Amino acid sequence: MTRRALITGITGQDGSYLAEHLLSQGYQVWGLLRGQTNPRTSRVGHLASDLSFVDGDLTDQASLVAAVDTVQPDEVYNLGALSFVPGSWQQPELVTEVNGTGVLRMLEAIRMVSDLNGSRHADGGRIRFYQASSSEMFGRAAETPQSETTGFHPRSPYGVAKTYGHHITRTYRETFGMYAVSGVLFNHESPRRGTEFVTRKISLAAARIKLGHQKRLDLGNLDAVRDWGFAGDYVRAMHLMLQQDEPADYVVGTGRMHSVRDAVRCAFACVGLHWTDHVVVDPALVRPAEVEVLCADSRRVRAELGWEPTVDFAQLMRMMVESDLERLSREPVHGGLLPAAGR
Ligand code: NAP
Ligand code: F7E
């Protein structure tokens, strides 16, 4: 029988790659769309004829129960979130509602629908649940690299809300026997990344500067270090996590560290420019409670699930710069994209 998946956050970067991956595996894929008018569907426009959609919002319990009841999914991937870390200081309460309490609401929706359908299994019936946890939960980490046993020290409302989502998922697994797991994913990027995130801000600026649309790129902390991978690789890990005999949480990353300075150097080299001629550090873009260094110890996901990344850092930056160059060449003014503001 055809398996059904429900994805929250289908209009986001990961949602679009996950939808493609699940369709390629023969799933019937449903996406939760929020907003009663004009939902942002540009990232999944090319898949529109293969997808089904259902209305709902992670801040609204009734809508999630109705969505799960309509779709009757085998698997739920909860990717919906407000995902820009500095933005979580502008709307801390909303971020807590969506990224934290929203996880609880979806777990409850799964339990309620299982009960409504008479399965009355304490384990949430047959529905398996994936939660998009984040390396931001490690924050000011006590050790590097970070693994499944590293403690959490989040540094933003985003990180704190994700930590709640992580713990409530584990708690529902342990209390009700649900197949509910979290993937603790490190930064992953792509040509579909939002332009407010640093890699895409850099790739877009390198392309714009090369084409003469922009002269300068303002950035914050060039010394921040991240473990950057390709989003298309990471959605395979999400799917694998829901195919196991026993539910478990996994850390997912490449295990390679690069600074923001490395990303700028790499992107500008792709277009034959020197980054030092164009990049200006703007102190207003430096985060007050910065997360300085994050790097994954992903030995467990590699050993137990056989997951491996296929795209390295240099390939990732080149892919993003080339995509932005191509997009800007098609739409010469700004490729439909403006440089992002905010730190
Ligand atoms: P993204 O591009 O920002 O997408 C976020 C998605 O969440 C969008 O589809 C958005 O819908 C949806 N959303 C926002 N508020 C919602 C609400 N109230 N109810 C339902 N949906 C809502 O994020 P991403 O990069 O794909 O990341 C996917 C998930 O992984 C997020 O939970 C993120 O926090 C987490 N994560 C990401 C990374 C990373 O490096 N990318 C790493 C670790 C964890 P609209 O289009 O309607 O706004
Ligand atoms: O920042 C530094 C900034 O905004 C990366 C989200 O997907 O990954 C993402 O969160 C680093 C930080 O991503 C600028 O200070 C310097 O140290 O690309 P970012 P993030 O905050 O790491 C995690 C895993 C998630 O879960 C999140 O949802 O780059 N940086 N200058 C800058 N960052 C930005 N955005 N803009 C700058 O000008």
Side-chain angles (χ1 to χ4, degrees):
M1 214 163 65
T2 305
R3 284 179 294 171
R4 289 168 170 240
L6 172 62
I7 303 174
T8 74
I10 196 163
T11 59
Q13 170 189 259
D14 291 6
S16 68
Y17 283 105
L18 180 62
E20 280 171 9
H21 182 62
L22 295 178
L23 286 170
S24 78
Q25 302 292 307
Y27 281 75
Q28 186 181 354
V29 179
W30 290 71
L32 188 86
L33 284 188
R34 70 174 177 135
Q36 294 177 334
T37 53
N38 302 320
R40 287 192 311 139
T41 51
S42 58
R43 288 190 181 99
V44 286
H46 62 296
L47 302 173
S49 58
D50 298 319
L51 298 176
S52 305
F53 295 103
V54 60
D55 289 334
D57 194 299
L58 286 164
T59 60
D60 187 275
Q61 180 73 70
S63 72
L64 299 182
V65 173
V68 175
D69 195 37
T70 300
V71 177
Q72 295 291 322
D74 300 286
E75 298 171 11
V76 173
Y77 295 86
N78 186 37
L79 312 187
L82 297 170
S83 74
F84 188 45
V85 172
S88 72
W89 285 110
Q90 314 304 319
Q91 295 179 306
E93 203 174 328
L94 181 60
V95 166
T96 303
E97 275 297 312
V98 177
N99 300 9
T101 318
V103 185
L104 172 68
R105 291 191 191 98
M106 186 53 97
L107 288 162
E108 274 300 310
I110 290 170
R111 274 178 16 98
M112 285 182 206
V113 170
S114 302
D115 280 358
L116 280 175
N117 290 341
S119 74
R120 299 217 169 265
H121 286 304
D123 66 353
R126 61 193 170 87
I127 303 172
R128 294 185 171 204
F129 176 77
Y130 173 88
Q131 167 57 16
S133 285
S134 165
S135 53
E136 278 294 300
M137 300 185 308
F138 296 122
R140 191 157 67 192
E143 59 183 7
T144 297
Q146 297 87 37
S147 73
E148 290 79 5
T149 57
T150 304
F152 298 141
H153 188 141
R155 302 266 282 164
S156 63
Y158 173 85
V160 173
K162 283 286 176 183
T163 304
Y164 172 81
H166 186 85
H167 284 310
I168 200 68
T169 300
R170 177 187 47 73
T171 302
Y172 269 56
R173 176 170 79 229
E174 292 174 358
T175 306
F176 301 115
M178 288 173 71
Y179 194 114
V181 300
S182 295
V184 184
L185 271 50
F186 284 60
N187 300 53
H188 46 278
E189 321 292 311
S190 74
R192 300 181 198 167
R193 187 61 143 148
T195 56
E196 63 273 48
F197 299 95
V198 78
T199 54
R200 187 73 198 290
K201 185 176 173 183
I202 292 169
S203 69
L204 186 59
R208 286 174 55 84
I209 291 170
K210 177 68 179 176
L211 297 175
H213 301 323
Q214 181 177 329
K215 286 195 166 55
R216 209 181 79 187
L217 169 60
D218 292 343
L219 288 174
N221 179 14
L222 300 183
D223 296 321
V225 168
R226 291 290 186 275
D227 175 342
W228 279 294
F230 171 51
D233 283 336
Y234 287 49
V235 300
R236 286 189 288 106
M238 298 176 189
H239 178 241
L240 281 170
M241 286 178 62
L242 292 197
Q243 313 311 312
Q244 306 308 307
D245 292 337
E246 294 299 327
D249 300 335
Y250 290 92
V251 158
V252 180
T254 70
R256 298 295 164 102
M257 288 189 273
H258 294 279
S259 65
V260 172
R261 186 178 286 98
D262 293 336
V264 180
R265 188 184 292 121
C266 190
F268 278 73
C270 288
V271 293
L273 296 172
H274 291 291
W275 70 276
T276 49
D277 295 336
H278 303 281
V279 171
V280 175
V281 172
D282 177 354
L285 295 175
V286 177
R287 298 179 185 177
E290 175 68 297
V291 171
E292 300 286 350
V293 180
L294 289 174
C295 182
D297 174 350
S298 55
R299 280 177 294 179
R300 185 172 173 190
V301 72
R302 291 168 194 251
E304 295 183 10
L305 306 192
W307 178 84
E308 291 291 337
T310 64
V311 177
D312 69 19
F313 176 73
Q315 291 168 326
L316 174 65
M317 291 310 301
R318 176 167 290 283
M319 176 200 299
M320 293 174 70
V321 171
E322 286 179 350
S323 164
D324 280 325
L325 273 174
E326 194 268 332
R327 198 182 316 230
L328 287 162
S329 309
R330 264 190 287 123
E331 297 173 59
V333 180
H334 49 66
L337 294 163
L338 293 170
R343 60 192 174 197

